[in-house]
Amino acid sequence: MDTRRSGARWRTATWQALGLVLILAVWWLVTDGLKLYPPYVFPSARAVWTEISYGLWGTGPQDGKLLAAIAGSLRRVLTGYLAAVALGTCIGLLMGLWSPIRSTLGAYLTGVQSIPSIAFVPFAILFFGLNERAVLFVVILEGFIPIALSVSGALLNVPPTLRVAGRTLGASGLSLLLRVLLPAVLPNVLTGLRTAWSFAWRALVGAELLIAGSKSLGEQLEIGRNTANVALVLATIIIIGVIGGLFDALLRTVESRVRRDYGLEAGE
């Protein structure tokens, strides 16, 4: 089974590498081969790579700013994401264990979740001011709702026989929650954590773009726009996508491992 799983991973990696080569080939054809657009409208992949390399490991006085921006954005999103996990778990437990809270608060959270995160930025600016707290507010708001809904929904789907078995073995109250219910809902909660990460990461970049915090990826996008440096804008977009994809892949790996341990997912 490990051999088949390893083979599947290699096949996936091979197809992904071929897809990247195809994208770069089309990019080169549009910018360097056919020259369909001037460089200040659509720069070549080489120009974007130059911005990435200077921004990440350049040694000049203006270089290395992308690396500092990544560090600043990661610090904010991890702070907001962890706060969202704590808040969402508490609210999800309340909603899952008490139906009056679920029937009232759940409907409001579903409605708030449908509002784009960018719509909350003006309120955050007016309430907190142009500072980091406004960014964290938007990140937490977008992150905690998927977690609360996933925890609540997972608790409702716990088989009644599992609760009965737990009580029969002497578990009740907090003991039943910690030793029976929470382990039972863990696979579904991990799915909610992955969704919450996606929401939080997108909300962070949108808020940084408008609030223009120092040392942030949003600030780099704004600098690129103000200086008409399209290569810097594309370089920052690529970095945002890579970081978001890496964290999603990490959470997906943990989720897949837990689901296999629970017997919910067959090995490839």
Side-chain angles (χ1 to χ4, degrees):
M1 183 173 295
D2 289 339
T3 304
R4 290 200 301 271
R5 188 179 301 135
S6 176
R9 288 174 180 169
W10 276 109
R11 284 194 297 274
T12 301
T14 301
W15 280 111
Q16 290 174 343
L18 290 176
L20 178 61
V21 171
L22 178 62
I23 292 173
L24 292 175
V26 172
W27 194 342
W28 177 87
L29 184 65
V30 170
T31 57
D32 297 285
L34 301 177
K35 299 184 185 302
L36 295 179
Y37 301 97
Y40 59 86
V41 174
F42 190 32
S44 65
R46 185 173 57 256
V48 174
W49 173 250
T50 299
E51 288 290 341
I52 293 176
S53 59
Y54 285 172
L56 293 183
W57 53 76
T59 56
Q62 300 301 319
D63 296 338
K65 288 192 172 181
L66 274 177
L67 191 61
I70 292 172
S73 291
L74 283 179
R75 178 178 57 79
R76 293 187 190 91
V77 75
L78 290 178
T79 302
Y81 181 69
L82 292 177
V85 170
L87 180 62
T89 302
C90 293
I91 294 178
L93 289 175
L94 293 175
M95 290 169 56
L97 296 175
W98 287 283
S99 59
I101 298 177
R102 181 171 60 252
S103 58
T104 53
L105 187 59
Y108 292 124
L109 291 183
T110 303
V112 173
Q113 192 179 30
S114 66
I115 302 174
S117 61
I118 201 73
F120 292 104
V121 175
F123 170 77
I125 293 174
L126 292 173
F127 193 82
F128 294 101
L130 285 168
N131 53 48
E132 193 163 305
R133 287 183 298 171
V135 178
L136 291 176
F137 169 79
V138 177
V139 172
I140 294 172
L141 184 63
E142 285 297 303
F144 92 90
I145 296 178
I147 298 171
L149 294 178
S150 67
V151 171
S152 172
L155 283 173
L156 292 178
N157 291 324
V158 173
T161 52
L162 201 60
R163 297 173 186 264
V164 173
R167 291 191 179 99
T168 302
L169 294 174
S172 62
L174 185 60
S175 174
L176 182 68
L177 175 66
L178 296 178
R179 302 177 64 179
V180 178
L181 297 182
L182 287 183
V185 304
L186 183 59
N188 290 328
V189 172
L190 287 173
T191 302
L193 291 177
R194 192 157 57 83
T195 304
W197 161 257
S198 177
F199 277 55
W201 184 236
R202 285 183 293 181
L204 171 84
V205 176
E208 286 182 341
L209 183 60
L210 294 181
I211 297 174
S214 61
K215 295 183 180 179
S216 68
L217 291 171
E219 181 193 37
Q220 292 301 306
L221 288 173
E222 188 68 8
I223 291 174
R225 184 183 71 86
N226 291 332
T227 58
N229 187 348
V230 188
L232 175 60
V233 172
L234 288 177
T236 307
I237 290 174
I238 291 172
I239 289 174
I240 291 170
V242 170
I243 294 175
L246 287 176
F247 270 83
D248 183 78
L250 175 63
L251 293 174
R252 190 187 295 273
T253 301
V254 174
E255 178 189 3
S256 180
R257 177 62 182 271
V258 170
R259 290 181 65 83
R260 283 202 301 271
D261 290 344
Y262 276 64
L264 300 174
E265 182 177 299
E268 297 179 359

